[in-house]
Amino acid sequence: MKHLRMMGLGLAAALCAGQAHAEELTGTLKNIKETGAITLGFRDSSIPFSYLDDSQKPIGFAMDICYKIVDAVKKELKLDKLEVKLNPVTSSTRIPLLANGTIDLECGSTTNNADRQKQIAFTNTHFLTASRFVSKKSNKINSIDDLKGKSVVSTSGTTNIKQLTEANAARNLGVNIIPAKDHAEAFLMVETDRAVAFVMDDILLASLVAGSKEPDAYVISTDAFSKPEPYGIMLRKDDPAFKKVVDGATAALYQSGEGQKLYDKWFMQKIPPKGLNLNTPIGAELKHEFAKPSDSPDPASYTAK
């Protein structure tokens, strides 16, 4: 009788343990397990991070990083297959769509800063950039002060348009600030002389110039609106289990030789669809970030480019 009672207790304990294990999954991981799908948010013109190729398929450096995260999630959840859904986002919609559960990861060129960390979370840094402006060489605009009284465009919902607005007020520039829906529209405004300059992350400006009809007609400012700032893949706040998997996947990628190879693929080689080569070697600051991955780097420690 005692033996049977012990067996019963053992069976009950095993059942409880099984139930506890099943209940361990929470948040994003639980949803992915239940639906068998993960949704990635992508940008359509953030070259070379997240953009559309000739067949309208999202590709890029950040997309490749996100697919490495997907592999890690699939392994963590012991899934034979995991459907990857793709959802377009813009500078204005990326945070709301992440917060409301439409997307699980935002794979793009999003700056990790304190304001955004109040709403969402970031994984380890995958790039560092500074906010500058592009203009036509013929306009001879060499500094931020040269923008005084002129029309300047920047993309809605970005840190760049905020920095432009702050500089405009602080320096009493009297700039007419034009918000654009995306980077492509903003650059087109400079091309067609509706704006004299476009304020954006320097690497994105370099990619837009390289892909333009007359690359030699443009110049990117030496003057910067910011110190180098970190990009990170976004995910929802207060989801430690999912963040642990995402951070583990990105750290493993960056610390391996594969991280450098992935960087070179997108920044040092010809990329589709036009065969552009941004020819942007990895800098010492980003090498440091790859060696010691962090989701909260200190921009004050970087040397401005």
Side-chain angles (χ1 to χ4, degrees):
M1 194 74 174
K2 184 178 179 182
H3 179 66
L4 287 173
R5 189 165 67 248
M6 291 298 290
M7 282 182 64
L9 288 170
L11 183 60
L15 284 170
C16 287
Q19 287 173 348
H21 183 71
E23 291 167 3
E24 280 175 13
L25 288 181
T26 58
T28 305
L29 287 177
K30 183 181 179 183
N31 185 60
I32 292 170
K33 180 87 171 183
E34 290 175 350
T35 62
I38 184 170
T39 305
L40 308 181
F42 68 89
R43 305 292 297 275
D44 63 6
S45 59
S46 287
I47 301 170
F49 298 94
S50 181
Y51 65 102
L52 300 175
D53 65 10
D54 277 342
S55 62
Q56 300 300 294
K57 176 189 173 186
I59 59 172
F61 182 51
M63 291 301 299
D64 281 357
I65 293 169
C66 278
Y67 283 119
K68 292 293 183 184
I69 296 171
V70 170
D71 290 342
V73 170
K74 185 178 174 183
K75 183 178 178 181
E76 174 72 17
L77 296 176
K78 299 179 175 62
L79 296 172
D80 293 330
K81 60 180 181 177
L82 177 56
E83 181 187 0
V84 178
K85 296 181 178 180
L86 300 168
N87 195 95
V89 299
T90 66
S91 298
S92 299
T93 65
R94 55 191 167 180
I95 291 177
L97 290 178
L98 185 65
N100 71 15
T102 301
I103 62 172
D104 299 309
L105 294 167
E106 190 265 345
C107 316
S109 51
T110 300
T111 303
N112 176 355
N113 60 31
D115 281 347
R116 285 180 176 151
Q117 286 173 12
K118 293 173 185 174
Q119 304 175 70
I120 43 78
F122 287 87
T123 188
N124 300 307
T125 296
H126 63 260
F127 198 78
L128 295 166
T129 187
S131 184
R132 305 181 197 275
F133 66 83
V134 67
S135 61
K136 287 185 175 178
K137 289 178 182 176
S138 57
N139 287 331
K140 297 179 180 177
I141 298 173
N142 301 313
S143 68
I144 291 173
D145 287 339
D146 288 343
L147 299 173
K148 193 165 188 175
K150 296 178 171 61
S151 292
V152 179
V153 64
S154 191
T155 310
S156 295
T158 61
T159 56
N160 313 85
I161 199 166
K162 182 181 177 184
Q163 289 161 346
L164 172 60
T165 302
E166 290 170 351
N168 192 32
R171 301 191 187 201
N172 196 27
L173 297 174
V175 167
N176 172 34
I177 299 173
I178 306 171
K181 73 177 187 328
D182 57 33
H183 306 329
E185 181 185 77
F187 188 74
L188 182 62
M189 287 187 182
V190 176
E191 278 188 311
T192 54
D193 298 312
R194 284 177 285 166
V196 298
F198 169 27
V199 177
M200 184 42 58
D201 299 341
D202 49 17
I203 187 62
L204 298 181
L205 294 177
S207 69
L208 288 163
V209 168
S212 68
K213 296 171 187 174
E214 295 182 79
D216 290 339
Y218 301 93
V219 62
I220 296 171
S221 67
T222 302
D223 258 9
F225 289 85
S226 70
K227 291 180 179 179
E229 297 178 317
Y231 282 174
I233 304 296
M234 287 198 297
L235 58 153
R236 274 180 289 281
K237 271 179 75 72
D238 305 320
D239 196 346
F242 185 54
K243 192 173 191 308
K244 183 180 179 181
V245 176
V246 175
D247 286 351
T250 51
L253 172 63
Y254 304 153
Q255 289 178 318
S256 70
E258 197 175 356
Q260 177 73 54
K261 287 178 184 176
L262 198 60
Y263 181 94
D264 290 345
K265 170 186 172 183
W266 292 102
F267 295 93
M268 297 298 294
Q269 298 170 17
K270 289 182 178 181
I271 58 173
K274 296 180 180 179
L276 300 178
N277 188 338
L278 299 181
N279 195 24
T280 305
I282 191 168
E285 297 96 338
L286 187 58
K287 276 188 178 179
H288 175 76
E289 287 298 329
F290 276 16
K292 296 182 178 179
S294 170
D295 64 352
S296 54
D298 178 14
S301 68
Y302 306 143
T303 304
K305 293 182 282 185

